[in-house]
Amino acid sequence: MATVCAGSMALMHAGVPLANHVAGISVGLVAPETHSDLSKTDPIFLTDILGIEDHYGDMDFKVAGTANGITALQLDVKLPRGLPLNWASAALEKARIARVRLLKIMSECIPEPAKTLSPAAPVISESKVEPLLRPLLVRNGGEMINRIYEGTGARLFISEVGDLEIHAPNSEALKTARKLVHELVGEVEVGSVYEGKVVRVAEFGVFLEVMPGRHGLLHISEIVPSDQRSTSEIEAMLPKLNDKIFVTVIEYDKKRGQIKLTKHKNK
């Protein structure tokens, strides 16, 4: 039951927003050796029993809860005729008194959850991935999912309809994992700046891959000034395949998957 108390304090210390502390206590019992009606005898209750008392005693009654009431019970009884109701009631009262005392001590030490989540606390993130982009994560036997786990310690779980959960050992690992996922399957955002790679050169401009599998058009008017339209001038100024250019998304037709780009002014 000490783990219940320690767990409650650890969660609050880590910034997990628990409403109340939870304390646990175990009540043992030593019953008379022989009596026809146990309910008429006075047993000996042992609060916060040790292993030896559990082994040789007649009961292990684990009770956990807050100041407002009981949240969990677990009872082991070795009495052949079971536990009389008045004994059970008395044991619960013993547990209540001990629990209230424990909660007071715990609250004096840590009165409320920390305001910010500990950077060492494990975290879970939930998000949605477009079902059509799901194969980018799970293809090749989940190669990308395994790579993210090996690099960050974060585990990814994605459903057939694109519900994604990331279970990370800490907030920094979650941040890195989410960044890797976003780079692979995240939504293209209008106004965002990307470093695109030229994947195709056409007469009217160049196509750049701004995210894996997402190509946008940088029109020739964004590259070549309107007063320089000779073939030699255009060819000299057009980027080459695999060149990298910082661009801003100015239009995104989600249904058609068409992305319109402009050169980022500061790059």
Side-chain angles (χ1 to χ4, degrees):
M1 288 289 92
T3 58
V4 175
C5 303
S8 176
M9 297 179 73
L11 288 169
M12 282 205 176
H13 185 264
V16 178
L18 296 183
N20 299 286
H21 268 304
V22 179
I25 195 71
S26 183
V27 179
L29 171 71
V30 177
E33 290 187 6
T34 58
H35 201 287
S36 58
D37 187 355
L38 290 176
S39 63
K40 295 180 180 180
T41 64
D42 294 322
I44 299 174
F45 291 104
L46 305 171
T47 303
D48 195 18
I49 62 175
L50 300 175
I52 190 170
E53 295 160 346
D54 182 9
H55 181 76
Y56 290 108
D58 297 308
M59 179 182 77
D60 179 13
F61 199 174
K62 296 182 177 71
V63 184
T66 68
N68 301 320
I70 294 170
T71 56
L73 294 170
Q74 191 265 322
L75 173 63
D76 293 329
V77 179
K78 303 174 187 177
L79 299 170
R81 296 186 296 277
L83 187 68
L85 185 59
N86 62 326
W87 287 15
S89 178
L92 286 172
E93 177 59 15
K94 291 281 187 181
R96 185 193 67 80
I97 294 171
R99 187 173 75 253
V100 168
R101 182 180 177 187
L102 285 170
L103 289 169
K104 181 176 182 295
I105 296 170
M106 292 164 62
S107 296
E108 288 173 353
C109 182
I110 302 179
E112 62 182 13
K115 300 301 181 184
T116 56
L117 190 67
S118 167
V123 285
I124 297 176
S125 169
E126 295 180 344
S127 58
K128 188 80 174 179
V129 172
E130 284 291 329
L132 291 177
L133 300 177
R134 180 179 177 274
L136 293 175
L137 275 175
V138 302
R139 65 186 178 187
N140 298 329
E143 178 183 354
M144 183 54 65
I145 289 176
N146 293 332
R147 188 180 301 172
I148 292 174
Y149 171 69
E150 290 170 0
T152 67
R155 295 187 179 275
L156 274 63
F157 305 90
I158 184 167
S159 70
E160 294 291 336
V161 295
D163 295 319
L164 175 66
E165 282 191 7
I166 303 177
H167 298 197
N170 53 61
S171 55
E172 189 62 32
L174 176 65
K175 180 180 177 181
T176 303
R178 292 181 67 175
K179 180 177 181 293
L180 293 172
V181 170
H182 181 74
E183 290 174 353
L184 194 65
V185 298
E187 287 286 345
V188 173
E189 299 177 0
V190 173
S192 293
V193 178
Y194 299 90
E195 184 181 23
K197 183 176 74 172
V198 177
V199 293
R200 178 186 164 200
V201 179
E203 293 181 359
F204 49 84
V206 295
F207 288 89
L208 297 99
E209 185 178 58
V210 293
M211 294 181 71
R214 260 67 59 83
H215 299 167
L217 172 65
L218 182 64
H219 194 266
I220 193 169
S221 61
E222 296 282 341
I223 306 169
V224 182
S226 57
D227 58 344
Q228 295 180 350
R229 293 292 180 168
S230 69
T231 302
S232 58
E233 289 175 334
I234 292 174
E235 290 180 350
M237 299 185 72
L238 279 178
K240 305 296 187 292
L241 284 175
N242 297 321
D243 282 355
K244 292 185 177 181
I245 306 172
F246 282 95
V247 291
T248 302
V249 176
I250 56 176
E251 189 176 318
Y252 176 36
D253 187 332
K254 190 173 181 180
K255 290 185 178 179
R256 297 182 179 180
Q258 295 178 346
I259 303 170
K260 189 175 181 181
L261 307 170
T262 183
K263 289 187 73 174
H264 186 52
K265 305 303 180 184
N266 298 328
K267 297 290 183 179

